[in-house]
Amino acid sequence: MQDRPTISELLQAVAHLLDEELVPNLTGSRQFYGRVAANVLRIVLRELEHEDEQLAAEWERLEKLLSPTERPATRAELREAVQRRTEEICQHIRQGEVDTGPFQDQVLAHVRETVREKLLVSNPGWLNRPAS
């Protein structure tokens, strides 16, 4: 691990270079791909910023929906466990167990919050759009 520049500072510097120096001087598909590259860097930055917090929150929500289990120790293990537990929820949905009742309300609340957290990383501007 390096002290400075941090991973975030490096990614921000490259995104700034793309946004301010390169993309304005490009045309056509190169300009488009430059914008895409800058956007990818911003998504990675937000992922780095929010991943630990969002994984922990999603784990806690899944713990309330499913039978409690021991929380994995590492980020990678937690990420895999969240995926497995999400698949459990999907199985309940496929089996019709979420079609009515309080479990439906709890699962819908979990899904809404999970989607909100994912949008916070992938496209935060979408969260600020007026409701239609």
Side-chain angles (χ1 to χ4, degrees), residues 27-41:
T27 59
S29 64
R30 289 179 187 229
Q31 187 178 60
F32 170 76
Y33 291 125
R35 285 190 177 125
V36 169
N39 192 45
V40 166
L41 292 172

Side-chain angles (χ1 to χ4, degrees), residues 18-48:
L18 286 165
D19 286 333
E20 303 300 323
E21 301 294 329
L22 299 179
V23 169
N25 294 307
L26 298 172
T27 59
S29 64
R30 289 179 187 229
Q31 187 178 60
F32 170 76
Y33 291 125
R35 285 190 177 125
V36 169
N39 192 45
V40 166
L41 292 172
R42 285 188 288 277
I43 291 170
V44 170
L45 276 163
R46 290 187 297 267
E47 178 81 24
L48 289 170

Side-chain angles (χ1 to χ4, degrees), residues 8 59 74:
S8 293
W59 176 261
T74 69

Side-chain angles (χ1 to χ4, degrees), residues 109-121:
H110 165 69
V111 170
R112 282 188 189 104
E113 184 58 21
T114 301
V115 169
R116 189 196 68 75
E117 290 172 348
K118 291 180 185 301
L119 282 170
L120 184 63
V121 170

Side-chain angles (χ1 to χ4, degrees), residues 19-104:
D19 286 333
E20 303 300 323
E21 301 294 329
L22 299 179
V23 169
N25 294 307
L26 298 172
T27 59
S29 64
R30 289 179 187 229
Q31 187 178 60
F32 170 76
Y33 291 125
R35 285 190 177 125
V36 169
N39 192 45
V40 166
L41 292 172
R42 285 188 288 277
I43 291 170
V44 170
L45 276 163
R46 290 187 297 267
E47 178 81 24
L48 289 170
E49 179 182 346
H50 297 289
E51 183 178 28
D52 288 336
E53 162 193 331
Q54 288 180 347
L55 275 172
E58 190 169 359
W59 176 261
E60 291 303 318
R61 289 192 305 273
L62 287 165
E63 282 288 286
K64 291 176 184 173
L65 293 171
L66 302 167
S67 58
T69 187
E70 186 176 340
R71 181 181 164 154
T74 69
R75 179 190 299 173
E77 291 169 340
L78 181 57
R79 194 180 303 116
E80 290 175 16
V82 164
Q83 288 176 329
R84 281 193 307 275
R85 306 235 51 205
T86 297
E87 182 55 36
E88 287 181 53
I89 293 291
C90 292
Q91 289 293 353
H92 288 290
I93 292 169
R94 286 185 200 108
Q95 294 168 0
E97 298 168 17
V98 183
D99 291 349
T100 60
F103 191 47
Q104 178 189 44

